[in-house]
Amino acid sequence: MFAVHLMAFYFSKLKEDQIKKVDRFLYHMRLSDETLLDIMSRFQAEMEKGLGKDTHPTASVKMLPTFVRAIPDGSENGEFLSLDLGGSKFRVLKVQVSEDGKQNVQMESQFYPMPSEITRGNGTELFAYVADCLADFMKTKDLTHKKLPLGFTFSFPCRQTKLEEGFLLSWTKKFKARGVQDTDVVDRLTNAIKKHKDLDVDILALVNDTVGTMMTCAYDDPSCEVGVIIGTGTNACYMEDMSNIDLVEGDEGRMCINTEWGAFGDDGVLEDIRTEFDRELDLGSLNPGKQLFEKMISGLYMGELVRLILLKMAKAGLLFGGAKSSALHTKGKIETQHVAAMEKHKEGLANTREILVNLGLEPSESDCIAVQHVCTIVSFRSANLCAAALAAILTRLRENKKLARLRTTVGMDGTLYKIHPQYPKRLHKVVRRLVPNCDVRFLLSESGSTKGAAMVTAVASRVQAQRKQIDRVLALFQLTREQLLGVREKMRIELEYGLKKKTHALATVKMLPTYVYGMPDGTEKGKFLALDLGGTNFRVLLVKIRSGWRSVRMYNKIFAIPLEIMQGTGEELFDHIVQCIADFLDYMGLKGAQLPLGFTFSFPCRQTCIDKGTLVGWTKGFKATDCEGEDVVDMLRDAIKRRNEFDLDIVAIVNDTVGTMMTCGYEDPNCEIGLIAGTGSNVCYMEEMRNIELVEGDEGRMCINTEWGGFGDNGCIDDICTQYDKEVDEGSLNPGKQRYEKMTSGMYLGEIVRQILIDLTRQGLLFRGQISERLRTRGIFETKFLSQIESDRLALLQVRRILQQLGLDSTCEDSIIVKEVCGAVSRRAAQLCGAGMAAIVEKRREDQGLEHFKVTVGVDGTLYKLHPHFSRILQETVRELAPKCDVTFMLSEDGSGKGAALITAVAKRLQMQGKEN
């Protein structure tokens, strides 16, 4: 019994001594967590360099865009071919992705040898060989009669400019075929396939094996967004935000980046980590000075590193009693499979002895223990280095998503990772230690990169088909120059119809005289009351104007107008308005004062003088009864009488658009046009009296309230009206009315977007084909959301949050499509507004017989002010469609309040002048 204990003690002491001996000899290969965190931050810096436009050319970690923009979503189906070129064997695969929605993949494959005369021969012969193998496979599987999409896994660094194109940067591993570098490998393969007349193959995607691994795993686990290969070579890819990729146009969505991390350190940043053995191995390789990180990690080099260490230790008399065999001197005699066998838990020592004996050595027990530990240190260092670089990628993903904690999946493949008994466990443990704020699932790839290439092809095929459907919908909103010129000309005709006595009754653009004959001249002064009714809020204002200073001070109070008042009786509406006025006069201490009042009433009115206005028809959700066809000023006066508390001098009824023009005209005498682009849409302008047949007199000018929102009510713009516009119109309070306004104003743009999203979801192109109750709800998609979603500063994550607030659970791809839809709808709105404005300025230019016309347009409205692109697109359209007009757009300050007071002041001034005359 004692002897057994003695032997056990001797063996453990022997093992301990041998381990210490090896540790001392290879201390430089043992990396502390502090060192690994330092390597991690160095790799992060290299990633930044690779992604930057200016730093990319000199970056060692190339961060190559792959043009893979989406991962599988489970809706892929069909038959696909896949080729895998990059290892010691070449593989052809047919993948059938099920159509029954059960995410079922069936595969048939064939391996073909890759002789060294092919891998190191002529490039043309290499691709001819690949095409021959493909032809053989297709004949064997009876596929020559089918046209099939193909994914090409090409496991070498390529510069891609699109998914189906890639220029070889350099060969790695044991490939050295001549004349391939800097050429498009897809083009080379396509030409080789063309020589087989019976093959009809469409190469849709060039895929790196790492990307293939990520895609294979993502099919089973949609949260997979990283792929890592640790095999003959090593590499990683991950999904990067487009906004961070300087090398590719566009900021929307994400794209898979092939890091090509094997070259990390080629610029010298890992010199303090590399050992004499790494340098010796590098000098003896096919590509000295290249792929230095890969040479410290991957299966192609691990066995050779172990051999160089054992040889040095033997020479130093630390192993085999100083004996060395010719096999130990021979490059490549120890392979990675030997390292894996020596590190097996139970039979490791026996395997070590057998392998060493086969190398012509006579190892002692202590030699076997020492050699096994050498293998452990080399493979552990490999796992540590991989973990540090992977931790850098995971940290980047977490920071991109602005998360405190990341949950993600990493797809893994590669012979070293698969066959080495300790490697996966070591890698996982170190990664979790380096990034404790990342919950990582490691998923082993089935069928590896070849299935992945088929998945990329399937996704590309799906995305291509979906893109065509989406583009068909968006094309309906893309107006050509000819269409916009057509809108301009039709608007011009309608303007003339509205001004003429004969045609006025049938005109859709009503061209209502406002009886505002002049613009402010700076002499206006006094205190004025202003009322502003035009939306869900009603304002009462006190406006003080000082002459000579062009100075205006305003005091106001906002009152809500409940829906039951908006859609009740006219008497209830005007009693509510008078109640609000009484509250304001009390609040300001003006109960007894009889002040001149301007009433901004932002609905179509037919006026016979400045203080009389007959309501033509309600818009913007108002439906109060017994008002249409009535004089709203009289209704207001009657309500004041019913209250019998105060009396007011109602001088003018004002449209908000006219108020906007007057406000800007007070600052800029060149302003003679007003535009509102907000909840509703309208324009007014100063017209020559001689052109206004509805009003007596030919002298001077008068402001015309166009009420252009009704443009198209006669069907003249039906050619640009979409099914979505018709749905919005049919669901509105006034079907068949205000057609132009419904295509251009804030009240309706969100609703048009909602109708498009419902249609795209029905087609299975959005929200996984699920139409939520929220999406069915009219009015949820307010126009303010369009402005937020289209903001250039908004990342897709924020777009997704907005959609989540609306109860719409979206993917990254959904968010891109929603943003595109919003952009198409708002762009068309701005262009249509611009075409209408071009008609007005061109009319004014021609009326005055000018070659060149300079004018200022006063503008107000939330759509114009808050939407990130509306104003720019509108201005560009006016410039393009009215090139002889120099149009300045001036933002109005409170047109409906200040403007109403200014109109009242101008009317008072003109009244006084009339009396004096």
Side-chain angles (χ1 to χ4, degrees):
M1 189 70 184
F2 175 73
V4 171
H5 281 296
L6 194 63
M7 279 301 292
F9 173 75
Y10 167 75
F11 188 75
S12 66
K13 188 82 177 74
L14 175 70
K15 191 172 183 181
E16 189 184 319
D17 290 345
Q18 292 308 309
I19 286 170
K20 280 181 181 171
K21 176 174 75 176
V22 173
D23 281 346
R24 280 195 300 275
F25 192 75
L26 296 179
Y27 77 96
H28 202 51
M29 278 190 161
R30 299 187 64 103
L31 305 173
S32 67
D33 279 3
E34 190 183 351
T35 304
L36 292 176
L37 286 166
D38 182 35
I39 292 168
M40 180 177 150
S41 66
R42 291 185 214 181
F43 188 71
Q44 283 173 307
E46 290 299 312
M47 288 169 81
E48 283 288 347
K49 276 190 202 170
L51 289 169
K53 204 168 200 169
D54 298 333
T55 48
H56 176 82
T58 56
S60 58
V61 180
K62 280 299 176 197
M63 304 295 283
L64 302 170
T66 65
F67 295 83
V68 171
R69 295 171 188 261
I71 59 170
D73 68 359
S75 67
E76 293 76 17
N77 63 69
E79 272 187 315
F80 306 93
L81 287 170
S82 182
L83 306 180
D84 186 0
L85 179 66
S88 52
K89 288 177 182 171
F90 169 63
R91 189 181 184 196
V92 186
L93 187 81
K94 187 199 89 165
V95 179
Q96 171 78 50
V97 185
S98 75
E99 295 184 38
D100 57 8
K102 286 185 182 170
Q103 283 195 258
N104 185 19
V105 178
Q106 292 175 324
M107 296 184 291
E108 296 177 63
S109 71
Q110 175 75 48
F111 283 96
Y112 295 89
M114 284 302 288
S116 60
E117 60 268 23
I118 293 290
T119 59
R120 298 190 190 187
N122 179 290
T124 307
E125 288 167 8
L126 170 67
F127 288 105
Y129 177 74
V130 170
D132 291 345
C133 296
L134 174 64
D136 174 71
F137 179 82
M138 290 182 78
K139 277 174 192 144
T140 309
K141 303 292 178 190
D142 193 24
L143 297 171
T144 48
H145 59 288
K146 290 185 178 180
K147 181 178 174 70
L148 292 173
L150 181 142
F152 182 20
T153 301
F154 188 73
S155 311
F156 305 95
C158 282
R159 185 182 71 255
Q160 284 186 261
T161 48
K162 45 191 174 188
L163 186 59
E164 69 282 10
E165 178 183 274
F167 294 83
L168 176 67
L169 293 174
S170 61
W171 287 116
T172 57
K173 294 169 267 197
K174 290 187 176 177
F175 278 69
K176 268 283 188 185
R178 298 182 301 280
V180 183
Q181 203 164 322
D182 297 321
T183 66
D184 177 7
V185 294
V186 174
D187 188 49
R188 299 289 293 267
L189 179 58
T190 304
N191 291 335
I193 291 171
K194 275 179 188 168
K195 289 175 180 159
H196 294 266
K197 303 295 180 195
D198 52 344
L199 298 191
D200 191 3
V201 169
D202 187 11
I203 304 176
L204 283 190
L206 176 72
V207 185
N208 179 279
D209 54 348
T210 323
V211 181
T213 295
M214 182 188 80
M215 294 297 268
T216 301
C217 294
Y219 188 68
D220 299 319
D221 179 352
S223 60
C224 179
E225 50 192 340
V226 184
V228 176
I229 289 194
I230 311 166
T232 312
T234 183
N235 195 12
C237 69
Y238 72 101
M239 296 302 287
E240 176 61 85
D241 288 359
M242 281 288 288
S243 55
N244 296 330
I245 308 170
D246 287 355
L247 304 171
V248 180
E249 287 294 312
D251 284 345
E252 301 308 331
R254 302 200 300 167
M255 182 183 284
C256 181
I257 288 290
N258 165 21
T259 65
E260 286 297 338
W261 76 9
F264 177 38
D266 287 6
D267 57 356
V269 297
L270 293 178
E271 280 313 297
D272 57 325
I273 306 297
R274 293 175 72 224
T275 66
E276 60 181 290
F277 307 109
D278 297 309
R279 293 186 178 94
E280 191 178 342
L281 179 142
D282 176 48
L283 285 171
S285 69
L286 282 170
N287 53 352
K290 304 285 182 195
Q291 299 295 105
L292 298 183
F293 191 59
E294 182 170 80
K295 285 169 185 169
M296 296 160 83
I297 290 171
S298 79
L300 186 61
Y301 305 101
M302 187 177 280
E304 184 59 11
L305 262 180
V306 168
R307 185 189 71 81
L308 292 172
I309 293 165
L310 299 187
L311 184 61
K312 179 85 184 275
M313 288 182 80
K315 282 178 180 174
L318 297 170
L319 281 178
F320 320 127
K324 305 171 287 292
S325 66
S326 62
L328 193 59
H329 276 96
T330 308
K331 185 179 171 182
K333 278 292 181 183
I334 298 180
E335 294 174 14
T336 299
Q337 63 186 21
H338 297 137
V339 177
M342 288 190 270
E343 283 195 71
K344 278 195 173 166
H345 179 54
K346 286 182 178 169
E347 60 265 45
L349 275 177
N351 290 343
T352 304
R353 175 174 295 282
E354 187 184 329
I355 288 161
L356 293 174
V357 168
N358 288 341
L359 288 171
L361 296 162
E362 295 176 13
S364 65
E365 197 68 46
S366 61
D367 288 335
C368 291
I369 293 166
V371 169
Q372 190 183 43
H373 194 53
V374 167
C375 292
T376 300
I377 287 177
V378 170
S379 66
F380 217 127
R381 184 186 69 156
S382 165
N384 278 339
L385 290 170
C386 257
L390 178 55
I393 289 173
L394 294 168
T395 301
R396 186 170 181 89
L397 277 175
R398 185 180 60 77
E399 288 171 355
N400 281 352
K401 294 182 180 190
K402 297 179 172 57
L403 295 173
R405 190 164 198 85
L406 174 76
R407 288 179 73 87
T408 194
T409 298
V410 177
M412 300 295 302
D413 203 355
T415 46
L416 178 55
Y417 183 85
K418 283 177 173 175
I419 67 163
H420 193 291
Q422 315 296 334
Y423 201 98
K425 191 168 61 185
R426 288 172 187 164
L427 176 77
H428 304 171
K429 199 172 176 181
V430 179
V431 167
R432 288 177 181 131
R433 217 164 57 230
L434 295 178
V435 278
N437 48 5
C438 297
D439 298 322
V440 188
R441 178 189 180 208
F442 290 88
L443 183 60
L444 190 61
S445 163
E446 285 176 45
S447 316
S449 50
T450 327
K451 176 183 168 186
M455 292 318 307
V456 173
T457 310
V459 169
S461 194
R462 164 177 66 81
V463 168
Q464 212 175 63
Q466 288 176 343
R467 189 69 248 175
K468 279 180 186 165
Q469 287 172 276
I470 292 160
D471 287 344
R472 267 199 298 274
V473 170
L474 296 182
L476 300 171
F477 292 84
Q478 288 155 3
L479 302 176
T480 62
R481 181 180 160 78
E482 286 63 37
Q483 285 174 313
L484 289 170
L485 284 168
V487 171
R488 186 192 74 180
E489 293 318 308
K490 287 169 188 172
M491 177 68 83
R492 179 68 188 272
I493 290 163
E494 291 295 318
L495 296 176
E496 299 293 353
Y497 277 2
L499 287 171
K500 291 190 170 25
K501 226 172 200 169
K502 266 188 187 175
T503 49
H504 177 81
L506 297 171
T508 59
V509 180
K510 283 299 174 196
M511 304 297 281
L512 303 171
T514 64
Y515 294 85
V516 171
Y517 289 98
M519 299 293 287
D521 65 2
T523 63
E524 295 77 18
K525 63 179 180 179
K527 288 182 185 177
F528 304 89
L529 273 182
L531 310 180
D532 176 14
L533 178 68
T536 50
N537 289 330
F538 169 64
R539 284 192 310 156
V540 187
L541 303 95
L542 173 68
V543 182
K544 295 180 181 177
I545 303 173
R546 295 172 68 187
S547 71
W549 295 83
R550 290 191 185 262
S551 159
V552 177
R553 291 181 72 183
M554 292 186 291
Y555 309 87
N556 75 81
K557 204 163 185 208
I558 296 169
F559 301 89
I561 300 200
L563 190 65
E564 62 271 20
I565 297 285
M566 285 168 68
Q567 298 182 7
T569 67
E571 199 167 284
E572 286 167 346
L573 174 63
F574 281 94
D575 283 347
H576 180 76
I577 286 170
V578 170
Q579 173 67 55
C580 297
I581 296 169
D583 289 353
F584 179 76
L585 292 174
D586 265 354
Y587 173 71
M588 294 299 295
L590 293 167
K591 204 57 181 269
Q594 191 176 9
L595 297 171
L597 180 144
F599 183 14
T600 299
F601 188 74
S602 307
F603 304 94
C605 279
R606 188 168 285 105
Q607 288 184 256
T608 50
C609 57
I610 197 163
D611 64 347
K612 287 205 172 294
T614 303
L615 177 62
V616 174
W618 285 118
T619 57
K620 292 181 273 195
F622 276 73
K623 272 282 187 183
T625 58
D626 308 320
C627 294
E628 290 179 0
E630 297 295 324
D631 181 352
V632 292
V633 176
D634 283 348
M635 292 184 81
L636 178 59
R637 284 185 178 133
D638 290 345
I640 291 169
K641 277 180 193 161
R642 279 196 298 277
R643 184 153 187 109
N644 198 25
E645 272 185 27
F646 50 82
D647 197 15
L648 296 170
D649 175 16
I650 304 173
V651 174
I653 178 165
V654 182
N655 179 278
D656 57 346
T657 322
V658 184
T660 293
M661 180 187 76
M662 293 299 266
T663 304
C664 293
Y666 189 63
E667 308 288 335
D668 179 353
N670 234 9
C671 179
E672 53 177 273
I673 301 173
L675 165 67
I676 297 268
T679 311
S681 178
N682 195 17
V683 159
C684 70
Y685 71 100
M686 295 303 289
E687 178 60 272
E688 307 302 320
M689 282 292 291
R690 66 176 183 271
N691 294 333
I692 309 170
E693 294 184 6
L694 302 173
V695 180
E696 292 294 312
D698 285 348
E699 293 305 313
R701 300 190 303 167
M702 181 190 284
C703 180
I704 290 290
N705 166 21
T706 66
E707 287 298 340
W708 77 359
F711 174 49
D713 289 1
N714 60 359
C716 71
I717 54 170
D718 279 2
D719 59 318
I720 58 168
C721 209
T722 69
Q723 70 193 71
Y724 311 107
D725 296 308
K726 286 170 187 149
E727 281 161 3
V728 169
D729 177 50
E730 284 160 15
S732 69
L733 286 168
N734 53 352
K737 304 285 184 197
Q738 301 294 104
R739 299 293 292 278
Y740 183 64
E741 182 170 79
K742 285 170 185 167
M743 295 164 85
T744 56
S745 78
M747 186 164 183
Y748 301 100
L749 297 190
E751 192 55 19
I752 296 171
V753 167
R754 189 181 72 86
Q755 292 295 346
I756 298 168
L757 299 187
I758 286 173
D759 186 38
L760 292 178
T761 308
R762 266 197 208 108
Q763 294 181 51
L765 304 171
L766 268 181
F767 310 131
R768 300 172 187 86
Q770 303 296 310
I771 302 176
S772 65
E773 275 311 306
R774 289 285 287 159
L775 194 56
R776 292 180 204 276
T777 311
R778 185 178 300 283
I780 62 142
F781 216 97
E782 294 170 46
T783 299
K784 71 174 181 184
F785 295 128
L786 265 78
S787 298
Q788 289 170 9
I789 285 168
E790 287 188 69
S791 167
D792 293 328
R793 295 188 303 277
L794 209 63
L796 275 183
L797 270 171
Q798 291 160 293
V799 174
R800 284 178 76 179
R801 283 195 197 114
I802 292 168
L803 294 173
Q804 277 163 0
Q805 284 167 24
L806 294 169
L808 305 172
D809 184 22
S810 69
T811 64
C812 192
E813 286 71 37
D814 289 340
S815 303
I816 295 170
I817 294 166
V818 170
K819 195 166 182 176
E820 282 186 79
V821 169
C822 292
V825 170
S826 62
R827 182 177 183 80
R828 183 190 67 163
Q831 286 179 318
L832 286 173
C833 256
M837 182 57 72
I840 301 234
V841 295
E842 272 295 300
K843 180 184 183 334
R844 293 298 299 129
R845 183 184 69 79
E846 288 173 20
D847 283 349
Q848 293 171 65
L850 297 171
E851 181 59 33
H852 193 82
F853 178 53
K854 191 176 170 67
V855 70
T856 297
V857 177
V859 199
D860 204 351
T862 48
L863 188 57
Y864 187 92
K865 284 179 171 176
L866 301 180
H867 191 282
H869 308 301
F870 189 93
S871 58
R872 174 182 55 78
I873 296 164
L874 186 150
Q875 290 172 33
E876 284 169 1
T877 309
V878 173
R879 271 198 300 275
E880 193 178 332
L881 301 184
K884 293 181 179 177
C885 300
D886 181 2
V887 185
T888 302
F889 288 83
M890 180 181 184
L891 269 180
S892 159
E893 277 180 61
D894 195 8
S896 46
K898 183 175 167 181
L902 284 165
I903 290 167
T904 307
V906 169
K908 276 292 200 191
R909 189 191 78 210
L910 293 174
Q911 269 177 22
M912 294 295 290
Q913 286 171 0
K915 281 177 186 173
E916 286 167 14
N917 291 339

